[in-house]
Structure formats: structure tokens, C-alpha cells
Amino acid sequence: MSVMDTVQDYYVVGSYDDTADTFVPEDDDDCRSWRRLDYGHVYASKSFFDPSKNRRVLWGWANEIIGIVGEQADVEVVFEIPALEHADVLEPNWLLDPQSLCGEKGASVPGSVGPFGLLVMASGDMQEHTAVFFRVFRQNDKYKVLMCTDLSRSSTRDGVYKPPYGAFVDMDIEAHSGIISLRTLVDHSVVESFGGGGRTCITARVYPDHVVNGNSHLYVFNNGTGAVKVSSLDAWEMATATVNVLPDGLIAASSVSRAQAY
């Protein structure tokens, strides 16, 4: 369900009666308590079945501000946290609104375990950058991982929409030996990030001013007091899409090539 009041998509698991053509959700009827495929700037999604790879592909919308250009990159990084026990205590009410929590505890706010993650679309002087990061909190004898995309310093332009985005990652990081992965794809103004192997996805629009006359940079960062190890990092600069055009002018196929950047 796409709710235009919030410009967000929700989904719920339930039972469908083919005869009566009715659907009964397992959870609450209030869609605001339902789950989301993407906790960022995605709405009005549609899907189709791809028989060649036996998969379902979902397309979403992310509206844009006109006249902005950007760059393209694909980054995969694995973080390892040696010690979790000193994580900040999670307040119960924070579970209700992780997006506001990401706004309150942005990338520049130090914590015990985090914030740590990536700075993408960063200018040389760091006046502009978009932070995609994690924080680990302690809740009783368990740990909760918060994933955020912080747009507060993504652009120096006036009037640019720069909200915080965030969600808790559905994983037991202690059972994963303190290891969590992050993959971020930058395609011009779109920054799409997958945390914990895709358990949480956040899509955002960013419009830094520096891309018009300069190059963007990528950094790994840790603003927490606890140590965080980068187990692996692979980054690629994506080339322009190659479009195959038939003699009659019809497009036969398209592909995107990638060249590894060091």
C-alpha cells in the first residue's frame, strides 16, 4: 500500500480468500504499523515477474528537484565491532520513531558504538556530504542496530529537502559476531543503501552543490568512542549505461558496466 500522506510504501503478511476476493492481514489493520520495503524516499512501487531469473522485481518512485547532476558509485563495506557491551542504552520510546531518532542522533553526534559508516557525495572541504551509518544500542541483554541516512549536510543549496531517514535492522548482531555489512549505490542524485545484507533499505535524494564544478569523494568514518574494524571494502565507479539500438531505432537492451576504483 502506498500512502500519499506520508509518501511511503507499506506491506503486510496475511491471508487471501480467492473465492470471496478478500484479504485479511495478520497484523493490525492500521497500515502505519505495517512493515516497509524501504525506509527512505520511495513510494508508489509496482512489481513484475522476471521469468528468465525466476524472481520478482519491484520498481519504486523517488521524486526529484530539477536541474541537479551527480555521480555514480557502488560501495560494499563490512564492519566488525570488537566489543558491544559498552553500547548506549536504548530508551523504549525510541523504538516507536527511528526516523526521529536518526535526526536527533545524526552522524556528528558521538556515541559509544557508533555512529560508523560511509560518507558519500562528499566535497573536498567536507562542507557537503551524505552520511549512511549504524549505531548499536543495548536493550536489556540484547542489542538493537539503528541504520540512518543523514542528509543534514548533503547540500549547501537553499530550499533543498534534507530529512533524516532511519530504521532498526532486523538482526541479532551478537549472533553475527559483531559483524554487519553496508552496501551503498550512488546514481547521480539517488543514494540507495542496504544494511545487514539487505535487511534494511534506505533510499534518499541528495543535491550537493559541489558536483557541478568538482568531484565527489568517499570516506569511511567512526564517530563513536568504541573501536570499529573495517573487515573489507570494495568500491566501484559505475560507467555510463550502454544502450543497444537496433537498425530500426528500437532499443534492444541496456546494461551498466563497472570499473573498480582503488
Side-chain angles (χ1 to χ4, degrees):
M1 177 182 289
S2 188
V3 181
M4 295 312 296
D5 289 344
T6 59
V7 197
Q8 295 170 347
D9 281 6
Y10 301 83
Y11 77 94
V12 66
V13 176
S15 302
Y16 175 68
D17 187 330
D18 187 54
T19 302
D21 191 23
T22 58
F23 176 78
V24 180
E26 289 183 358
D27 297 328
D28 197 315
D29 288 337
D30 188 346
C31 72
R32 291 173 298 179
S33 66
W34 293 1
R35 301 170 184 174
R36 291 171 59 184
L37 293 172
D38 190 297
Y39 290 84
H41 197 116
V42 167
Y43 65 101
S45 57
K46 300 291 185 293
S47 70
F48 68 89
F49 181 69
D50 175 12
S52 64
K53 295 186 177 180
N54 192 33
R55 62 177 181 171
R56 180 160 292 276
V57 179
L58 183 138
W59 293 84
W61 290 65
N63 60 354
E64 187 169 8
I65 302 165
I66 295 174
I68 309 296
V69 297
E71 298 186 7
Q72 295 169 292
D74 184 351
V75 186
E76 296 183 66
V77 59
V78 176
F79 297 100
E80 182 178 345
I81 306 166
L84 294 167
E85 61 269 17
H86 299 298
D88 296 326
V89 176
L90 180 72
E91 299 291 338
N93 61 305
W94 289 348
L95 290 169
L96 302 175
D97 193 353
Q99 185 168 345
S100 295
L101 178 58
C102 286
E104 178 183 341
K105 295 184 178 295
S108 61
V109 180
S112 295
V113 183
F116 61 90
L118 294 172
L119 299 179
V120 300
M121 298 298 284
S123 58
D125 59 6
M126 291 296 293
Q127 291 302 304
E128 293 182 320
H129 60 263
T130 295
V132 184
F133 64 89
F134 299 109
R135 285 180 182 268
V136 179
F137 294 94
R138 180 165 45 88
Q139 185 185 34
N140 300 322
D141 296 330
K142 299 292 184 179
Y143 297 94
K144 299 285 288 186
V145 179
L146 178 70
M147 177 177 170
C148 303
T149 296
D150 183 355
L151 304 186
S152 60
R153 299 187 63 182
S154 62
S155 177
T156 55
R157 294 172 181 264
D158 294 330
V160 174
Y161 185 53
K162 297 183 288 186
Y165 294 117
F168 287 99
V169 183
D170 185 15
M171 69 175 293
D172 184 345
I173 193 167
E174 190 174 27
H176 285 77
S177 303
I179 293 174
I180 187 167
S181 64
L182 175 63
R183 183 182 183 187
T184 295
L185 296 100
V186 180
D187 189 0
H188 296 282
S189 64
V190 176
V191 176
E192 186 176 20
S193 300
F194 301 87
R199 289 177 174 85
T200 297
C201 176
I202 299 177
T203 300
R205 286 281 198 182
V206 299
Y207 305 100
D209 194 42
H210 72 269
V211 297
V212 177
N213 300 310
N215 295 324
S216 288
H217 303 271
L218 165 72
Y219 300 96
V220 178
F221 80 97
N222 175 24
N223 282 341
T225 57
V228 176
K229 177 183 177 181
V230 177
S231 299
S232 66
L233 189 151
D234 293 294
W236 295 268
E237 180 180 359
M238 294 191 290
T240 304
T242 300
V243 180
N244 302 319
V245 181
L246 299 174
D248 57 5
L250 298 176
I251 296 177
S254 62
S255 62
V256 177
S257 60
R258 303 192 303 181
Q260 187 165 6
Y262 299 92

